[in-house]
Amino acid sequence: MGSDSSTAVSGAGRGARSREQRREAILTAAFTVFARRGYAQTCVQEVAREAGVAKPTVYNHLDDKEALYREAVQAAAGRVAEQGLTAVEWLRGVAGGQVREALTATGQALTELWHGPEATSLRELACAHAESFPGLTADLRERTAVRLQRALSDHLARLALAGHLRPCDPDRAAEHLLALLTGPARFRPYGAGSDEGAEDARQAVEVFLRAYGV
C-alpha cells in the first residue's frame, strides 16, 4: 500500500507540474502575441498556436481573453521586477571603495533591462491600454517601478548609514538615480545599442555621486 500510495502521489505531482508548465507557456505566448499585435487584434487561437497547445487548453487555464491579457502582463511584470531586484541586490554589503563600481554595475543592469524587449513591450502595452485596464496599469506600476524604487531606497539607506553616501532621504535618492538611468532612453529611438546603455549608466552614476557621494 505504501508503494502504491507513493506512486500515486508522485504521479499527481508530475501532473501538477505539467499543468503549471502549460499555464506558464500560455501566459508567455500570450504576452508575446499581445505585444506584437495589441489587445484588440489578438485572438485566442493565435495565442494557442504560439504556445503550442490547443485552443480549448487555453480556456482550461484562463476564462476569457481579458483574463488572459491581465495574467499575461502581470506575469511579464513579475519577470521584469525580479530581474530588477536581482540587479539592486548587488548593492548589499558593498564596502566604501566599491560604491562607484557597484552602482555602475547595478545601473548598467537596470539600463539593459529598461531597454530590453520585455520591459519595452510591457510599457507600451500599459500605455496603449491604460484607459481600458486602469486598475491593471496601477498594479503593473506597483509590481515594477514602485517595488524596484523601494528596494533601491533600502540599499541606499544602508550605504548612507555606513557613511558611504551623504545623509539623505533614501526614497528621493532612489527616485533620482532611477530617473538618471532611464531618462536618456526616452530621447532615443528604440533599439539603442548596449554600448549606449552602458555609457548612460556610467554617466548617471557619476551625476548621482556628485550629489550623494562622500
Side-chain angles (χ1 to χ4, degrees), residues 15-67:
R17 285 195 298 272
S18 177
R19 178 175 175 81
E20 183 178 337
Q21 289 169 352
R22 284 197 299 271
R23 183 183 181 86
E24 183 178 348
I26 289 167
L27 293 178
T28 301
F31 183 77
T32 298
V33 178
F34 282 125
R36 183 168 63 226
R37 296 179 57 80
Y39 180 81
Q41 299 301 318
T42 293
C43 66
V44 175
Q45 179 60 56
E46 187 175 0
V47 171
R49 191 161 52 244
E50 183 81 19
V53 300
K55 185 177 178 180
T57 302
V58 177
Y59 285 116
N60 284 339
H61 289 268
L62 289 309
D63 292 335
D64 51 31
K65 179 179 168 181
E66 181 176 330

mmCIF file of all heavy atoms in Angstrom, residues 15-67:
data_model
loop_
_atom_site.group_PDB
_atom_site.id
_atom_site.type_symbol
_atom_site.label_atom_id
_atom_site.label_comp_id
_atom_site.label_asym_id
_atom_site.label_seq_id
_atom_site.Cartn_x
_atom_site.Cartn_y
_atom_site.Cartn_z
ATOM 1 N N GLY A 15 1.670 15.502 -12.701
ATOM 2 C CA GLY A 15 0.557 16.124 -13.403
ATOM 3 C C GLY A 15 0.426 17.584 -13.054
ATOM 4 O O GLY A 15 0.170 18.424 -13.905
ATOM 5 N N ALA A 16 0.606 17.896 -11.747
ATOM 6 C CA ALA A 16 0.503 19.286 -11.306
ATOM 7 C C ALA A 16 1.584 20.137 -11.947
ATOM 8 O O ALA A 16 1.339 21.248 -12.394
ATOM 9 C CB ALA A 16 0.590 19.350 -9.783
ATOM 10 N N ARG A 17 2.792 19.610 -12.000
ATOM 11 C CA ARG A 17 3.885 20.369 -12.613
ATOM 12 C C ARG A 17 3.627 20.586 -14.091
ATOM 13 O O ARG A 17 3.883 21.645 -14.634
ATOM 14 C CB ARG A 17 5.208 19.635 -12.392
ATOM 15 C CG ARG A 17 5.751 19.746 -10.968
ATOM 16 C CD ARG A 17 7.203 19.315 -10.903
ATOM 17 N NE ARG A 17 7.350 17.924 -11.284
ATOM 18 C CZ ARG A 17 7.256 16.897 -10.443
ATOM 19 N NH1 ARG A 17 6.963 17.121 -9.170
ATOM 20 N NH2 ARG A 17 7.426 15.654 -10.851
ATOM 21 N N SER A 18 3.109 19.581 -14.756
ATOM 22 C CA SER A 18 2.841 19.695 -16.178
ATOM 23 C C SER A 18 1.790 20.770 -16.444
ATOM 24 O O SER A 18 1.916 21.555 -17.370
ATOM 25 C CB SER A 18 2.360 18.340 -16.726
ATOM 26 O OG SER A 18 2.037 18.438 -18.081
ATOM 27 N N ARG A 19 0.752 20.817 -15.619
ATOM 28 C CA ARG A 19 -0.279 21.838 -15.780
ATOM 29 C C ARG A 19 0.298 23.227 -15.544
ATOM 30 O O ARG A 19 -0.008 24.173 -16.273
ATOM 31 C CB ARG A 19 -1.429 21.572 -14.803
ATOM 32 C CG ARG A 19 -2.538 22.618 -14.878
ATOM 33 C CD ARG A 19 -3.711 22.263 -13.986
ATOM 34 N NE ARG A 19 -4.695 23.334 -13.999
ATOM 35 C CZ ARG A 19 -5.603 23.512 -14.943
ATOM 36 N NH1 ARG A 19 -5.650 22.671 -15.967
ATOM 37 N NH2 ARG A 19 -6.455 24.522 -14.876
ATOM 38 N N GLU A 20 1.150 23.351 -14.517
ATOM 39 C CA GLU A 20 1.770 24.646 -14.231
ATOM 40 C C GLU A 20 2.658 25.094 -15.390
ATOM 41 O O GLU A 20 2.675 26.263 -15.757
ATOM 42 C CB GLU A 20 2.585 24.541 -12.949
ATOM 43 C CG GLU A 20 3.221 25.854 -12.518
ATOM 44 C CD GLU A 20 3.979 25.722 -11.214
ATOM 45 O OE1 GLU A 20 3.676 24.798 -10.444
ATOM 46 O OE2 GLU A 20 4.874 26.558 -10.975
ATOM 47 N N GLN A 21 3.391 24.149 -15.971
ATOM 48 C CA GLN A 21 4.264 24.482 -17.100
ATOM 49 C C GLN A 21 3.447 24.909 -18.313
ATOM 50 O O GLN A 21 3.826 25.836 -19.032
ATOM 51 C CB GLN A 21 5.147 23.285 -17.438
ATOM 52 C CG GLN A 21 6.224 23.009 -16.397
ATOM 53 C CD GLN A 21 6.916 21.685 -16.609
ATOM 54 O OE1 GLN A 21 6.514 20.881 -17.453
ATOM 55 N NE2 GLN A 21 7.960 21.438 -15.835
ATOM 56 N N ARG A 22 2.304 24.229 -18.552
ATOM 57 C CA ARG A 22 1.445 24.614 -19.673
ATOM 58 C C ARG A 22 0.892 26.021 -19.465
ATOM 59 O O ARG A 22 0.839 26.819 -20.401
ATOM 60 C CB ARG A 22 0.298 23.610 -19.847
ATOM 61 C CG ARG A 22 0.700 22.300 -20.498
ATOM 62 C CD ARG A 22 -0.514 21.551 -21.009
ATOM 63 N NE ARG A 22 -1.443 21.216 -19.935
ATOM 64 C CZ ARG A 22 -1.398 20.112 -19.213
ATOM 65 N NH1 ARG A 22 -0.436 19.226 -19.435
ATOM 66 N NH2 ARG A 22 -2.291 19.881 -18.270
ATOM 67 N N ARG A 23 0.484 26.305 -18.234
ATOM 68 C CA ARG A 23 -0.055 27.642 -17.938
ATOM 69 C C ARG A 23 1.013 28.708 -18.165
ATOM 70 O O ARG A 23 0.731 29.756 -18.761
ATOM 71 C CB ARG A 23 -0.548 27.693 -16.495
ATOM 72 C CG ARG A 23 -1.198 29.025 -16.110
ATOM 73 C CD ARG A 23 -1.586 29.022 -14.638
ATOM 74 N NE ARG A 23 -2.221 30.279 -14.265
ATOM 75 C CZ ARG A 23 -3.512 30.543 -14.397
ATOM 76 N NH1 ARG A 23 -4.321 29.633 -14.902
ATOM 77 N NH2 ARG A 23 -4.003 31.718 -14.034
ATOM 78 N N GLU A 24 2.220 28.440 -17.713
ATOM 79 C CA GLU A 24 3.312 29.396 -17.913
ATOM 80 C C GLU A 24 3.594 29.605 -19.395
ATOM 81 O O GLU A 24 3.816 30.740 -19.846
ATOM 82 C CB GLU A 24 4.574 28.905 -17.203
ATOM 83 C CG GLU A 24 5.746 29.876 -17.287
ATOM 84 C CD GLU A 24 6.966 29.383 -16.539
ATOM 85 O OE1 GLU A 24 6.847 28.411 -15.761
ATOM 86 O OE2 GLU A 24 8.042 29.976 -16.726
ATOM 87 N N ALA A 25 3.579 28.515 -20.157
ATOM 88 C CA ALA A 25 3.816 28.623 -21.603
ATOM 89 C C ALA A 25 2.723 29.445 -22.278
ATOM 90 O O ALA A 25 2.992 30.256 -23.171
ATOM 91 C CB ALA A 25 3.891 27.230 -22.229
ATOM 92 N N ILE A 26 1.485 29.253 -21.836
ATOM 93 C CA ILE A 26 0.366 30.008 -22.410
ATOM 94 C C ILE A 26 0.505 31.494 -22.104
ATOM 95 O O ILE A 26 0.328 32.345 -22.986
ATOM 96 C CB ILE A 26 -0.975 29.465 -21.863
ATOM 97 C CG1 ILE A 26 -1.254 28.079 -22.449
ATOM 98 C CG2 ILE A 26 -2.122 30.420 -22.195
ATOM 99 C CD1 ILE A 26 -2.378 27.338 -21.753
ATOM 100 N N LEU A 27 0.847 31.830 -20.852
ATOM 101 C CA LEU A 27 0.976 33.236 -20.475
ATOM 102 C C LEU A 27 2.146 33.903 -21.199
ATOM 103 O O LEU A 27 2.043 35.060 -21.623
ATOM 104 C CB LEU A 27 1.144 33.364 -18.962
ATOM 105 C CG LEU A 27 -0.072 32.971 -18.122
ATOM 106 C CD1 LEU A 27 0.249 33.087 -16.635
ATOM 107 C CD2 LEU A 27 -1.282 33.834 -18.482
ATOM 108 N N THR A 28 3.255 33.183 -21.335
ATOM 109 C CA THR A 28 4.406 33.735 -22.054
ATOM 110 C C THR A 28 4.059 33.961 -23.520
ATOM 111 O O THR A 28 4.381 35.009 -24.099
ATOM 112 C CB THR A 28 5.617 32.792 -21.938
ATOM 113 O OG1 THR A 28 5.951 32.623 -20.560
ATOM 114 C CG2 THR A 28 6.825 33.358 -22.670
ATOM 115 N N ALA A 29 3.386 32.986 -24.117
ATOM 116 C CA ALA A 29 2.976 33.121 -25.518
ATOM 117 C C ALA A 29 1.983 34.260 -25.685
ATOM 118 O O ALA A 29 2.046 35.037 -26.650
ATOM 119 C CB ALA A 29 2.367 31.807 -26.005
ATOM 120 N N ALA A 30 1.046 34.371 -24.742
ATOM 121 C CA ALA A 30 0.044 35.434 -24.815
ATOM 122 C C ALA A 30 0.699 36.804 -24.768
ATOM 123 O O ALA A 30 0.335 37.708 -25.544
ATOM 124 C CB ALA A 30 -0.956 35.285 -23.671
ATOM 125 N N PHE A 31 1.673 36.971 -23.866
ATOM 126 C CA PHE A 31 2.350 38.264 -23.795
ATOM 127 C C PHE A 31 3.063 38.577 -25.108
ATOM 128 O O PHE A 31 3.021 39.712 -25.588
ATOM 129 C CB PHE A 31 3.355 38.277 -22.643
ATOM 130 C CG PHE A 31 4.036 39.600 -22.472
ATOM 131 C CD1 PHE A 31 3.379 40.654 -21.866
ATOM 132 C CD2 PHE A 31 5.321 39.806 -22.943
ATOM 133 C CE1 PHE A 31 3.986 41.898 -21.720
ATOM 134 C CE2 PHE A 31 5.945 41.036 -22.804
ATOM 135 C CZ PHE A 31 5.274 42.087 -22.186
ATOM 136 N N THR A 32 3.699 37.578 -25.695
ATOM 137 C CA THR A 32 4.384 37.768 -26.977
ATOM 138 C C THR A 32 3.408 38.235 -28.052
ATOM 139 O O THR A 32 3.686 39.173 -28.810
ATOM 140 C CB THR A 32 5.054 36.463 -27.421
ATOM 141 O OG1 THR A 32 6.037 36.086 -26.446
ATOM 142 C CG2 THR A 32 5.735 36.627 -28.778
ATOM 143 N N VAL A 33 2.246 37.592 -28.120
ATOM 144 C CA VAL A 33 1.257 37.937 -29.155
ATOM 145 C C VAL A 33 0.621 39.296 -28.873
ATOM 146 O O VAL A 33 0.460 40.121 -29.789
ATOM 147 C CB VAL A 33 0.177 36.847 -29.259
ATOM 148 C CG1 VAL A 33 -0.873 37.244 -30.299
ATOM 149 C CG2 VAL A 33 0.809 35.510 -29.645
ATOM 150 N N PHE A 34 0.262 39.559 -27.624
ATOM 151 C CA PHE A 34 -0.309 40.870 -27.290
ATOM 152 C C PHE A 34 0.689 41.990 -27.591
ATOM 153 O O PHE A 34 0.303 43.058 -28.075
ATOM 154 C CB PHE A 34 -0.701 40.917 -25.814
ATOM 155 C CG PHE A 34 -1.980 40.212 -25.488
ATOM 156 C CD1 PHE A 34 -2.008 39.216 -24.521
ATOM 157 C CD2 PHE A 34 -3.155 40.538 -26.149
ATOM 158 C CE1 PHE A 34 -3.189 38.554 -24.209
ATOM 159 C CE2 PHE A 34 -4.350 39.878 -25.842
ATOM 160 C CZ PHE A 34 -4.359 38.876 -24.877
ATOM 161 N N ALA A 35 1.965 41.763 -27.299
ATOM 162 C CA ALA A 35 2.986 42.771 -27.570
ATOM 163 C C ALA A 35 3.143 42.998 -29.063
ATOM 164 O O ALA A 35 3.394 44.119 -29.518
ATOM 165 C CB ALA A 35 4.326 42.343 -26.969
ATOM 166 N N ARG A 36 2.978 41.951 -29.831
ATOM 167 C CA ARG A 36 3.161 42.041 -31.282
ATOM 168 C C ARG A 36 1.952 42.651 -31.977
ATOM 169 O O ARG A 36 2.099 43.432 -32.919
ATOM 170 C CB ARG A 36 3.424 40.635 -31.828
ATOM 171 C CG ARG A 36 3.709 40.590 -33.325
ATOM 172 C CD ARG A 36 4.242 39.226 -33.721
ATOM 173 N NE ARG A 36 3.287 38.160 -33.493
ATOM 174 C CZ ARG A 36 3.592 37.001 -32.918
ATOM 175 N NH1 ARG A 36 4.812 36.752 -32.481
ATOM 176 N NH2 ARG A 36 2.663 36.062 -32.762
ATOM 177 N N ARG A 37 0.743 42.333 -31.502
ATOM 178 C CA ARG A 37 -0.464 42.714 -32.236
ATOM 179 C C ARG A 37 -1.380 43.667 -31.473
ATOM 180 O O ARG A 37 -2.286 44.254 -32.072
ATOM 181 C CB ARG A 37 -1.243 41.455 -32.615
ATOM 182 C CG ARG A 37 -0.478 40.552 -33.577
ATOM 183 C CD ARG A 37 -1.266 39.298 -33.926
ATOM 184 N NE ARG A 37 -2.564 39.575 -34.488
ATOM 185 C CZ ARG A 37 -2.780 39.914 -35.751
ATOM 186 N NH1 ARG A 37 -1.754 40.034 -36.587
ATOM 187 N NH2 ARG A 37 -4.001 40.144 -36.201
ATOM 188 N N GLY A 38 -1.155 43.828 -30.175
ATOM 189 C CA GLY A 38 -2.068 44.643 -29.385
ATOM 190 C C GLY A 38 -3.259 43.819 -28.916
ATOM 191 O O GLY A 38 -3.495 42.708 -29.405
ATOM 192 N N TYR A 39 -4.016 44.379 -27.984
ATOM 193 C CA TYR A 39 -5.113 43.620 -27.399
ATOM 194 C C TYR A 39 -6.226 43.336 -28.414
ATOM 195 O O TYR A 39 -6.672 42.190 -28.561
ATOM 196 C CB TYR A 39 -5.689 44.381 -26.206
ATOM 197 C CG TYR A 39 -6.831 43.660 -25.532
ATOM 198 C CD1 TYR A 39 -6.578 42.637 -24.629
ATOM 199 C CD2 TYR A 39 -8.158 43.993 -25.803
ATOM 200 C CE1 TYR A 39 -7.624 41.950 -24.004
ATOM 201 C CE2 TYR A 39 -9.204 43.316 -25.194
ATOM 202 C CZ TYR A 39 -8.945 42.304 -24.301
ATOM 203 O OH TYR A 39 -9.973 41.628 -23.694
ATOM 204 N N ALA A 40 -6.675 44.352 -29.109
ATOM 205 C CA ALA A 40 -7.834 44.195 -29.992
ATOM 206 C C ALA A 40 -7.586 43.198 -31.121
ATOM 207 O O ALA A 40 -8.484 42.442 -31.504
ATOM 208 C CB ALA A 40 -8.231 45.554 -30.570
ATOM 209 N N GLN A 41 -6.385 43.188 -31.678
ATOM 210 C CA GLN A 41 -6.079 42.352 -32.834
ATOM 211 C C GLN A 41 -5.682 40.921 -32.460
ATOM 212 O O GLN A 41 -5.554 40.070 -33.336
ATOM 213 C CB GLN A 41 -4.951 42.984 -33.653
ATOM 214 C CG GLN A 41 -5.276 44.362 -34.211
ATOM 215 C CD GLN A 41 -6.498 44.333 -35.119
ATOM 216 O OE1 GLN A 41 -6.664 43.422 -35.925
ATOM 217 N NE2 GLN A 41 -7.370 45.331 -34.972
ATOM 218 N N THR A 42 -5.481 40.665 -31.188
ATOM 219 C CA THR A 42 -5.058 39.333 -30.748
ATOM 220 C C THR A 42 -6.270 38.418 -30.593
ATOM 221 O O THR A 42 -7.300 38.827 -30.047
ATOM 222 C CB THR A 42 -4.307 39.419 -29.409
ATOM 223 O OG1 THR A 42 -3.077 40.111 -29.614
ATOM 224 C CG2 THR A 42 -4.002 38.028 -28.848
ATOM 225 N N CYS A 43 -6.144 37.188 -31.072
ATOM 226 C CA CYS A 43 -7.191 36.190 -30.872
ATOM 227 C C CYS A 43 -6.612 35.013 -30.082
ATOM 228 O O CYS A 43 -5.409 34.750 -30.123
ATOM 229 C CB CYS A 43 -7.772 35.712 -32.193
ATOM 230 S SG CYS A 43 -6.626 34.798 -33.239
ATOM 231 N N VAL A 44 -7.475 34.317 -29.372
ATOM 232 C CA VAL A 44 -7.033 33.219 -28.527
ATOM 233 C C VAL A 44 -6.417 32.107 -29.351
ATOM 234 O O VAL A 44 -5.474 31.445 -28.920
ATOM 235 C CB VAL A 44 -8.208 32.703 -27.672
ATOM 236 C CG1 VAL A 44 -7.799 31.468 -26.870
ATOM 237 C CG2 VAL A 44 -8.700 33.797 -26.728
ATOM 238 N N GLN A 45 -6.925 31.899 -30.557
ATOM 239 C CA GLN A 45 -6.372 30.862 -31.421
ATOM 240 C C GLN A 45 -4.898 31.123 -31.723
ATOM 241 O O GLN A 45 -4.070 30.201 -31.731
ATOM 242 C CB GLN A 45 -7.151 30.785 -32.732
ATOM 243 C CG GLN A 45 -6.642 29.733 -33.719
ATOM 244 C CD GLN A 45 -6.702 28.330 -33.132
ATOM 245 O OE1 GLN A 45 -7.765 27.887 -32.710
ATOM 246 N NE2 GLN A 45 -5.578 27.640 -33.087
ATOM 247 N N GLU A 46 -4.547 32.387 -31.946
ATOM 248 C CA GLU A 46 -3.157 32.723 -32.233
ATOM 249 C C GLU A 46 -2.283 32.487 -31.002
ATOM 250 O O GLU A 46 -1.136 32.029 -31.128
ATOM 251 C CB GLU A 46 -3.055 34.181 -32.677
ATOM 252 C CG GLU A 46 -1.669 34.578 -33.155
ATOM 253 C CD GLU A 46 -1.605 35.989 -33.711
ATOM 254 O OE1 GLU A 46 -2.652 36.667 -33.726
ATOM 255 O OE2 GLU A 46 -0.515 36.397 -34.138
ATOM 256 N N VAL A 47 -2.810 32.793 -29.828
ATOM 257 C CA VAL A 47 -2.069 32.536 -28.593
ATOM 258 C C VAL A 47 -1.843 31.033 -28.434
ATOM 259 O O VAL A 47 -0.738 30.597 -28.089
ATOM 260 C CB VAL A 47 -2.829 33.097 -27.375
ATOM 261 C CG1 VAL A 47 -2.167 32.638 -26.074
ATOM 262 C CG2 VAL A 47 -2.877 34.616 -27.439
ATOM 263 N N ALA A 48 -2.872 30.240 -28.686
ATOM 264 C CA ALA A 48 -2.738 28.785 -28.574
ATOM 265 C C ALA A 48 -1.673 28.265 -29.533
ATOM 266 O O ALA A 48 -0.844 27.424 -29.166
ATOM 267 C CB ALA A 48 -4.079 28.125 -28.867
ATOM 268 N N ARG A 49 -1.688 28.789 -30.741
ATOM 269 C CA ARG A 49 -0.695 28.366 -31.742
ATOM 270 C C ARG A 49 0.714 28.750 -31.284
ATOM 271 O O ARG A 49 1.656 27.960 -31.411
ATOM 272 C CB ARG A 49 -1.032 29.012 -33.089
ATOM 273 C CG ARG A 49 -0.260 28.461 -34.260
ATOM 274 C CD ARG A 49 -0.932 28.790 -35.589
ATOM 275 N NE ARG A 49 -1.229 30.213 -35.713
ATOM 276 C CZ ARG A 49 -2.466 30.705 -35.808
ATOM 277 N NH1 ARG A 49 -3.527 29.896 -35.752
ATOM 278 N NH2 ARG A 49 -2.668 32.000 -35.942
ATOM 279 N N GLU A 50 0.874 29.944 -30.740
ATOM 280 C CA GLU A 50 2.179 30.399 -30.251
ATOM 281 C C GLU A 50 2.665 29.529 -29.089
ATOM 282 O O GLU A 50 3.866 29.251 -28.965
ATOM 283 C CB GLU A 50 2.082 31.857 -29.792
ATOM 284 C CG GLU A 50 3.371 32.487 -29.330
ATOM 285 C CD GLU A 50 4.261 32.978 -30.467
ATOM 286 O OE1 GLU A 50 3.745 33.169 -31.585
ATOM 287 O OE2 GLU A 50 5.465 33.167 -30.227
ATOM 288 N N ALA A 51 1.736 29.107 -28.242
ATOM 289 C CA ALA A 51 2.085 28.296 -27.070
ATOM 290 C C ALA A 51 2.250 26.826 -27.406
ATOM 291 O O ALA A 51 2.748 26.047 -26.579
ATOM 292 C CB ALA A 51 1.021 28.458 -25.996
ATOM 293 N N GLY A 52 1.793 26.417 -28.602
ATOM 294 C CA GLY A 52 1.880 25.012 -28.987
ATOM 295 C C GLY A 52 0.853 24.145 -28.298
ATOM 296 O O GLY A 52 1.113 22.969 -28.003
ATOM 297 N N VAL A 53 -0.331 24.727 -28.004
ATOM 298 C CA VAL A 53 -1.406 23.966 -27.372
ATOM 299 C C VAL A 53 -2.687 24.159 -28.176
ATOM 300 O O VAL A 53 -2.763 25.019 -29.060
ATOM 301 C CB VAL A 53 -1.640 24.421 -25.914
ATOM 302 C CG1 VAL A 53 -0.380 24.238 -25.085
ATOM 303 C CG2 VAL A 53 -2.111 25.880 -25.860
ATOM 304 N N ALA A 54 -3.689 23.353 -27.855
ATOM 305 C CA ALA A 54 -4.982 23.506 -28.498
ATOM 306 C C ALA A 54 -5.745 24.679 -27.877
ATOM 307 O O ALA A 54 -5.542 25.016 -26.711
ATOM 308 C CB ALA A 54 -5.801 22.223 -28.342
ATOM 309 N N LYS A 55 -6.625 25.272 -28.661
ATOM 310 C CA LYS A 55 -7.396 26.415 -28.169
ATOM 311 C C LYS A 55 -8.186 26.093 -26.906
ATOM 312 O O LYS A 55 -8.188 26.902 -25.961
ATOM 313 C CB LYS A 55 -8.328 26.919 -29.272
ATOM 314 C CG LYS A 55 -9.110 28.181 -28.914
ATOM 315 C CD LYS A 55 -9.940 28.649 -30.093
ATOM 316 C CE LYS A 55 -10.764 29.884 -29.751
ATOM 317 N NZ LYS A 55 -11.571 30.333 -30.921
ATOM 318 N N PRO A 56 -8.842 24.916 -26.808
ATOM 319 C CA PRO A 56 -9.553 24.599 -25.562
ATOM 320 C C PRO A 56 -8.640 24.552 -24.342
ATOM 321 O O PRO A 56 -9.077 24.837 -23.223
ATOM 322 C CB PRO A 56 -10.163 23.216 -25.844
ATOM 323 C CG PRO A 56 -10.299 23.163 -27.332
ATOM 324 C CD PRO A 56 -9.100 23.903 -27.848
ATOM 325 N N THR A 57 -7.356 24.231 -24.549
ATOM 326 C CA THR A 57 -6.414 24.194 -23.430
ATOM 327 C C THR A 57 -6.233 25.580 -22.830
ATOM 328 O O THR A 57 -6.094 25.733 -21.614
ATOM 329 C CB THR A 57 -5.053 23.635 -23.892
ATOM 330 O OG1 THR A 57 -5.237 22.332 -24.427
ATOM 331 C CG2 THR A 57 -4.068 23.562 -22.732
ATOM 332 N N VAL A 58 -6.211 26.589 -23.681
ATOM 333 C CA VAL A 58 -6.105 27.969 -23.177
ATOM 334 C C VAL A 58 -7.292 28.281 -22.274
ATOM 335 O O VAL A 58 -7.133 28.833 -21.172
ATOM 336 C CB VAL A 58 -6.030 28.972 -24.342
ATOM 337 C CG1 VAL A 58 -6.000 30.409 -23.803
ATOM 338 C CG2 VAL A 58 -4.814 28.710 -25.216
ATOM 339 N N TYR A 59 -8.485 27.906 -22.729
ATOM 340 C CA TYR A 59 -9.684 28.195 -21.936
ATOM 341 C C TYR A 59 -9.764 27.325 -20.687
ATOM 342 O O TYR A 59 -10.466 27.683 -19.734
ATOM 343 C CB TYR A 59 -10.932 27.999 -22.791
ATOM 344 C CG TYR A 59 -11.151 29.120 -23.786
ATOM 345 C CD1 TYR A 59 -11.111 28.891 -25.154
ATOM 346 C CD2 TYR A 59 -11.388 30.421 -23.330
ATOM 347 C CE1 TYR A 59 -11.307 29.920 -26.058
ATOM 348 C CE2 TYR A 59 -11.584 31.464 -24.228
ATOM 349 C CZ TYR A 59 -11.540 31.203 -25.582
ATOM 350 O OH TYR A 59 -11.723 32.232 -26.471
ATOM 351 N N ASN A 60 -9.043 26.212 -20.659
ATOM 352 C CA ASN A 60 -8.982 25.404 -19.442
ATOM 353 C C ASN A 60 -8.197 26.109 -18.340
ATOM 354 O O ASN A 60 -8.379 25.821 -17.154
ATOM 355 C CB ASN A 60 -8.325 24.047 -19.727
ATOM 356 C CG ASN A 60 -9.254 23.097 -20.451
ATOM 357 O OD1 ASN A 60 -10.467 23.265 -20.411
ATOM 358 N ND2 ASN A 60 -8.688 22.113 -21.121
ATOM 359 N N HIS A 61 -7.315 27.028 -18.756
ATOM 360 C CA HIS A 61 -6.474 27.745 -17.792
ATOM 361 C C HIS A 61 -6.980 29.160 -17.533
ATOM 362 O O HIS A 61 -6.865 29.662 -16.410
ATOM 363 C CB HIS A 61 -5.032 27.805 -18.312
ATOM 364 C CG HIS A 61 -4.329 26.487 -18.279
ATOM 365 N ND1 HIS A 61 -3.572 26.075 -17.208
ATOM 366 C CD2 HIS A 61 -4.269 25.480 -19.191
ATOM 367 C CE1 HIS A 61 -3.076 24.865 -17.454
ATOM 368 N NE2 HIS A 61 -3.482 24.491 -18.652
ATOM 369 N N LEU A 62 -7.476 29.834 -18.547
ATOM 370 C CA LEU A 62 -7.963 31.213 -18.426
ATOM 371 C C LEU A 62 -9.377 31.284 -18.979
ATOM 372 O O LEU A 62 -9.666 30.705 -20.028
ATOM 373 C CB LEU A 62 -7.062 32.178 -19.198
ATOM 374 C CG LEU A 62 -5.651 32.495 -18.668
ATOM 375 C CD1 LEU A 62 -5.678 32.914 -17.215
ATOM 376 C CD2 LEU A 62 -4.682 31.372 -18.889
ATOM 377 N N ASP A 63 -10.237 32.011 -18.297
ATOM 378 C CA ASP A 63 -11.655 32.027 -18.663
ATOM 379 C C ASP A 63 -11.937 32.710 -19.988
ATOM 380 O O ASP A 63 -12.793 32.277 -20.761
ATOM 381 C CB ASP A 63 -12.481 32.706 -17.565
ATOM 382 C CG ASP A 63 -12.507 31.894 -16.285
ATOM 383 O OD1 ASP A 63 -12.317 30.666 -16.366
ATOM 384 O OD2 ASP A 63 -12.691 32.495 -15.204
ATOM 385 N N ASP A 64 -11.254 33.820 -20.246
ATOM 386 C CA ASP A 64 -11.544 34.579 -21.453
ATOM 387 C C ASP A 64 -10.315 35.397 -21.851
ATOM 388 O O ASP A 64 -9.281 35.359 -21.182
ATOM 389 C CB ASP A 64 -12.756 35.498 -21.249
ATOM 390 C CG ASP A 64 -12.640 36.375 -19.997
ATOM 391 O OD1 ASP A 64 -11.494 36.736 -19.628
ATOM 392 O OD2 ASP A 64 -13.673 36.703 -19.395
ATOM 393 N N LYS A 65 -10.459 36.147 -22.922
ATOM 394 C CA LYS A 65 -9.341 36.929 -23.451
ATOM 395 C C LYS A 65 -8.892 38.007 -22.472
ATOM 396 O O LYS A 65 -7.690 38.264 -22.334
ATOM 397 C CB LYS A 65 -9.755 37.555 -24.787
ATOM 398 C CG LYS A 65 -8.700 38.426 -25.446
ATOM 399 C CD LYS A 65 -9.221 38.955 -26.775
ATOM 400 C CE LYS A 65 -8.338 40.040 -27.335
ATOM 401 N NZ LYS A 65 -8.849 40.574 -28.618
ATOM 402 N N GLU A 66 -9.836 38.638 -21.774
ATOM 403 C CA GLU A 66 -9.464 39.684 -20.815
ATOM 404 C C GLU A 66 -8.624 39.106 -19.685
ATOM 405 O O GLU A 66 -7.607 39.691 -19.288
ATOM 406 C CB GLU A 66 -10.716 40.344 -20.248
ATOM 407 C CG GLU A 66 -10.412 41.455 -19.259
ATOM 408 C CD GLU A 66 -11.654 42.172 -18.769
ATOM 409 O OE1 GLU A 66 -12.632 42.251 -19.541
ATOM 410 O OE2 GLU A 66 -11.646 42.641 -17.618
ATOM 411 N N ALA A 67 -9.029 37.950 -19.164
ATOM 412 C CA ALA A 67 -8.251 37.303 -18.103
ATOM 413 C C ALA A 67 -6.879 36.888 -18.620
ATOM 414 O O ALA A 67 -5.875 36.987 -17.905
ATOM 415 C CB ALA A 67 -9.004 36.084 -17.573
#
